[in-house]
C-alpha cells in the first residue's frame, strides 16, 4: 500500500470526525478522547510494525487499520452517549458500515480491503478466529496489541487522576468492590475474562488486566512493563491477598514473556 494513499485517508478521517463535534461538552470530551486515542494507536502500530521488520507498504496498511479501527465510536457516542457496545451497537460493525458507505477503501486492492475489514471486525473480539493466512493474522494481531497498549495507558491515568476525566464514559460497572469467583478463576488460569462475568468495578479492572494474556508481541509487553500500567491499575484496587496474588502472577508472566529483550 502506498504511503500517500494513507495520507489521503488520514485527511478523510480528520474531516469525518470534525462533523461530530458540537457545543455539548460531554460529547466533545469523549470524541476528543477517541480521536487522540486513534492517533496514539497509529503511532503504536507503526512502532510495533517496525520492531517486527514490516516494510513501508505493510506499515501503511497497518496504519490504515489503526486509523479506522474505532471510526464507529463517533457515531456510537453521539447517538447513544456511551461507548458500551452492549448498551448500544457493536462499534466495530458501525465502523465497517461507515467505511462501506463512504467507499474510502475503494482505492485499496481487494486483499488489502479484506484485511482492513477483517482486522477492524476482530480488534475487540474476545479472541481471534483461526486463520490460515498468516500475513492477515499478523495485521489482526497488530491492531489488538496497539489498541490494548493505549487503552491500558488511558485507564492507568484515569485510575490515578480521576479528577481529569469528569466527562469520561468508560462503561464502568456499578461502583461496588470485590472480585467475583469466575473473574478470579479466569485471570489466575491465564484466561481472558468475559464481560458477562463482570459484577463490580474491581472485576472490570481485572478484566482489563487480563488483556495482558492476549498481547501478541514482546515489544508491546515491554512497553506495558516500562510504563508501569500493571502497577497503576493494581494500586487502584484494595490490597487484598487475592489482588496481590494476581499482581505477582501478571508481573511474573510479563517478566517471562519479555526475558532477553
Amino acid at each position: 500500500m502506498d504511503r500517500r494513499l494513507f495520507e489521503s485517508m488520514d485527511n478523510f478521517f480528520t474531516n469525518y470526525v470534525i462533523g461530530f463535534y458540537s457545543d455539548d461538552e460531554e460529547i466533545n470530551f469523549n470524541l476528543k478522547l477517541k480521536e487522540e486515542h486513534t492517533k496514539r494507536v497509529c503511532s503504536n502500530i507503526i512502532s510495533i510494525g517496525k520492531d517486527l521488520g514490516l516494510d513501508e507498504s505493510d506499515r501503511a496498511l497497518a496504519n490504515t487499520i489503526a486509523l479506522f479501527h474505532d471510526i464507529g465510536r463517533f457515531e456510537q457516542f453521539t447517538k447513544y452517549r456511551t461507548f458500551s457496545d452492549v448498551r448500544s451497537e457493536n462499534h466495530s460493525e458501525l465502523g465497517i458500515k461507515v467505511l462501506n458507505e463512504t467507499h474510502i477503501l475503494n482505492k485499496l486492492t481487494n486483499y488489502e480491503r479484506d484485511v482492513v475489514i477483517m482486522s477492524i471486525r476482530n480488534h475487540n473480539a474476545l479472541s481471534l478466529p483461526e486463520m490460515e493466512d498468516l500475513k492477515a493474522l499478523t495485521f489482526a494481531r497488530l491492531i489488538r496489541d496497539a489498541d490494548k497498549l493505549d487503552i491500558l495507558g488511558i485507564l492507568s491515568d484515569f485510575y490515578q487522576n480521576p479528577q481529569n476525566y469528569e466527562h469520561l464514559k468508560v462503561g464502568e460497572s456499578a461502583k461496588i468492590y470485590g472480585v467475583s469467583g469466575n473473574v478470579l478463576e479466569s485471570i489466575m488460569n491465564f484466561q481472558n475474562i468475559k464481560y458477562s462475568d463482570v459484577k463490580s468495578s474491581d472485576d472490570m479492572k481485572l478484566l482489563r488486566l487480563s488483556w495482558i494474556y492476549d498481547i501478541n508481541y514482546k515489544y508491546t509487553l515491554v512497553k506495558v512493563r516500562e510504563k508501569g500500567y500493571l502497577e497503576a491499575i493494581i494500586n487502584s484496587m484494595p490490597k487484598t491477598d487475592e489482588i496481590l496474588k494476581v499482581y505477582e502472577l501478571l508481573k511474573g508472566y510479563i517478566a517471562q514473556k519479555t526475558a532477553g529483550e
Side-chain angles (χ1 to χ4, degrees):
M1 176 182 164
D2 193 293
R3 179 176 55 82
R4 289 171 296 182
L5 182 54
F6 171 79
E7 291 171 356
S8 70
M9 293 184 180
D10 192 31
N11 289 333
F12 163 83
F13 176 83
T14 299
N15 291 328
Y16 176 81
V17 170
I18 286 173
F20 288 93
Y21 284 96
S22 67
D23 57 0
D24 188 305
E25 188 175 357
E26 180 184 69
I27 287 179
N28 291 345
F29 180 91
N30 284 276
L31 297 187
K32 186 65 174 176
L33 187 76
K34 285 301 176 183
E35 187 176 6
E36 292 174 346
H37 163 70
T38 295
K39 298 301 183 181
R40 290 192 300 269
V41 173
C42 286
S43 178
N44 288 345
I45 210 167
I46 290 297
S47 296
I48 301 168
K50 285 181 178 178
D51 188 70
L52 293 176
L54 297 188
D55 62 25
E56 184 176 1
S57 175
D58 283 347
R59 292 200 304 271
L61 184 58
N63 213 6
T64 300
I65 295 166
L67 182 69
F68 292 141
H69 82 285
D70 264 357
I71 197 169
R73 288 296 197 186
F74 301 93
E75 179 181 340
Q76 180 190 45
F77 194 85
T78 303
K79 185 176 181 180
Y80 300 103
R81 286 185 180 261
T82 182
F83 289 130
S84 169
D85 288 2
V86 174
R87 295 198 295 271
S88 57
E89 297 181 60
N90 185 307
H91 74 279
S92 295
E93 296 301 329
L94 274 174
I96 291 168
K97 182 193 72 171
V98 170
L99 298 177
N100 287 335
E101 289 178 349
T102 59
H103 309 292
I104 188 61
L105 302 181
N106 280 9
K107 291 185 179 180
L108 300 181
T109 66
N110 289 339
Y111 178 77
E112 289 170 339
R113 189 162 55 249
D114 288 346
V115 167
V116 171
I117 295 298
M118 178 277 297
S119 298
I120 292 173
R121 175 166 283 129
N122 288 289
H123 85 271
N124 61 326
L126 183 63
S127 59
L128 286 172
E130 294 292 330
M131 295 186 202
E132 294 183 1
D133 185 338
L134 297 183
K135 184 173 183 178
L137 179 61
T138 296
F139 287 109
R141 287 173 169 169
L142 276 168
I143 185 57
R144 289 168 70 88
D145 269 33
D147 191 34
K148 286 181 174 67
L149 180 60
D150 190 62
I151 295 173
L152 287 172
I154 293 171
L155 293 170
S156 295
D157 189 55
F158 168 64
Y159 293 138
Q160 294 178 98
N161 304 291
Q163 70 279 1
N164 296 334
Y165 296 86
E166 179 183 356
H167 299 293
L168 177 63
K169 294 293 185 72
V170 293
E172 290 287 2
S173 302
K175 296 298 181 180
I176 56 175
Y177 299 102
V179 177
S180 302
N182 288 345
V183 166
L184 184 62
E185 182 179 0
S186 293
I187 201 165
M188 294 302 292
N189 284 289
F190 304 96
Q191 297 171 349
N192 286 339
I193 294 167
K194 299 176 182 177
Y195 279 96
S196 58
D197 286 336
V198 171
K199 308 300 180 187
S200 71
S201 295
D202 287 338
D203 284 349
M204 183 60 76
K205 291 176 181 180
L206 291 185
L207 181 148
R208 284 153 177 163
L209 287 177
S210 76
W211 291 349
I212 288 171
Y213 298 143
D214 192 47
I215 289 176
N216 299 282
Y217 300 112
K218 181 185 290 188
Y219 176 93
T220 315
L221 281 173
V222 168
K223 292 301 177 184
V224 170
R225 188 194 67 204
E226 289 178 349
K227 293 178 181 294
Y229 294 156
L230 170 60
E231 287 75 15
I233 297 175
I234 286 290
N235 288 340
S236 73
M237 303 178 70
K239 301 301 185 291
T240 64
D241 289 343
E242 292 175 335
I243 299 304
L244 292 176
K245 287 178 181 177
V246 168
Y247 170 64
E248 292 299 331
L249 184 71
L250 289 170
K251 182 180 177 181
Y253 177 89
I254 293 172
Q256 179 185 15
K257 293 293 183 178
T258 59
E261 91 270 4

